[in-house]
Amino acid sequence: MKHKNLWLMLVVMLAAVLVWLAFFWEPIKRASDQPERPHARLILAEAPIGGDFMLMSSSGTVSLSDFRGKIVLIYFGYTFCPDICPTSLSTLAQALSVLTPGELEKVRSFFISVDPERDTMEVLKAYAPFFHPNIVGISGTPEQVAQVARQYGARYMKQNPNADGLYSVDHSSFTYVVSADGKLVASMPHGSPPQQIVAMIRTLLNAGKAN
């Protein structure tokens, strides 16, 4: 119960921060004299190859192949993430908000949780769409998530829990772009501005790959 109440308090605090992020935050490059965050050291584990996968959402099984004909954006993270995930998802939400309704129909975004122990389907159902209705939270068993992460070159590492049993998960921060034919075409790093994401989506749409 203690942990549940703490989680609810964190969600309320996070919601306030996210409102600010969604409207006022702009990604900036890290100054050379600023300390590097742990996440920044977690670069791509290996050259990503992408490919189909099957995970779970609150509505049931999700396969990448189910979305052939759409541009798919994929981000790996976890709901307890204090900074990197909220800023990345807020940026993605800003980009999605720029798209026309017709363009948005041809795009699907997935938030893949690398913390399935805490990120239940109920939690993901509430968390991911908070940023934008187009973003769907999905996950699976630790083994399933690890397999998908390997396919896309994502890396993550669970840290030791503190005295209250709470822990963080360091993870790489890339938005993976999959074309309408199911091929991984780009890995956009943390800090990529919304305009760059929009430009990537529209380039693929205009190329006729979402038809």
Side-chain angles (χ1 to χ4, degrees), residues 1-13:
M1 181 63 67
K2 179 179 178 181
H3 290 169
K4 182 177 181 180
N5 291 336
L6 177 60
W7 182 85
L8 292 174
M9 291 176 61
L10 290 173
V11 168
V12 172
M13 293 174 62

Side-chain angles (χ1 to χ4, degrees), residues 56-59 62 109-113 120-121 124-125 127-129 135-139:
M56 291 294 296
S57 73
S58 61
S59 300
V62 171
S109 308
F110 290 117
F111 173 74
I112 299 181
S113 173
T120 63
M121 293 299 106
L124 290 173
K125 181 180 180 180
Y127 183 83
I135 305 175
V136 177
I138 59 177
S139 193

Side-chain angles (χ1 to χ4, degrees), residues 29-88:
K29 294 183 178 180
R30 183 176 61 87
S32 58
D33 60 344
Q34 291 181 333
E36 187 179 37
R37 293 179 177 177
H39 296 67
R41 298 194 297 272
L42 291 172
I43 60 173
L44 290 176
E46 57 186 56
I49 59 174
D52 196 18
F53 59 79
M54 182 182 294
L55 292 172
M56 291 294 296
S57 73
S58 61
S59 300
T61 303
V62 171
S63 296
L64 180 62
S65 58
D66 294 337
F67 297 89
R68 289 291 173 87
K70 294 182 182 291
I71 307 302
V72 178
L73 306 174
I74 302 171
Y75 185 83
F76 292 83
Y78 69 115
T79 66
F80 279 76
C81 183
D83 48 17
I84 301 296
C85 292
T87 54
S88 294

